[in-house]
Amino acid sequence: MTSVESEDAPKPPDKGLQSERTSLSFVRTSLSILGLSAACLRWLPPFGAAALIGPALAALLIVGVTVHERRSRPARLALFATEKATPALGMGAVLAASLLLLSASGLWILLK
């Protein structure tokens, strides 16, 4: 059985769409966590300002990731074009840490 496409046909060059999708996923995840941090403001009246320490720290981490993402995007696209790009493990780790911090502060509120 033969394939529909010829194996000798040239493939179109990647215009950096994979890197763009990764960048957009970081922004989308960051906005979700930032929205969740803002939703934690409802804890302020019954539990006091101490309940907002975790969400505030998580929001600061997220703002840092978002700023770093916006500044490093052109350099990452250039590396991707030369096939020398590496995964953005640091930004992923900061996103995970902010989620853990937000979750821990929520558990602390529930158990308080």
Side-chain angles (χ1 to χ4, degrees), residues 1 25-26 36 42 47 61 67 70 77 96 103 106:
M1 184 175 245
S25 70
F26 274 119
L36 186 57
R42 65 187 171 116
F47 296 106
L61 286 173
V67 168
R70 298 291 284 171
L77 286 173
S103 300

Side-chain angles (χ1 to χ4, degrees), residues 17-101:
L17 295 179
Q18 180 181 3
S19 181
E20 186 68 23
R21 283 192 307 267
T22 302
S23 176
L24 290 174
S25 70
F26 274 119
V27 171
R28 185 174 49 244
T29 304
S30 297
L31 287 175
S32 299
I33 297 171
L34 197 58
L36 186 57
S37 295
C40 292
L41 288 174
R42 65 187 171 116
W43 292 337
L44 186 58
F47 296 106
L52 296 181
I53 293 172
L57 289 175
L60 286 175
L61 286 173
I62 293 304
V63 168
V65 165
T66 305
V67 168
H68 183 270
E69 165 62 29
R70 298 291 284 171
R71 288 185 178 175
S72 67
R73 184 182 294 170
R76 201 173 51 255
L77 286 173
L79 286 173
F80 188 78
T82 60
E83 296 184 7
K84 295 180 181 175
T86 58
L89 297 177
M91 287 191 288
V94 172
L95 287 176
S98 65
L99 273 177
L100 289 174
L101 181 63

Side-chain angles (χ1 to χ4, degrees), residues 42-43 47 103-112:
R42 65 187 171 116
W43 292 337
F47 296 106
S103 300
S105 64
L107 284 174
W108 178 72
I109 290 296
L110 288 175
L111 296 175
K112 187 176 175 183

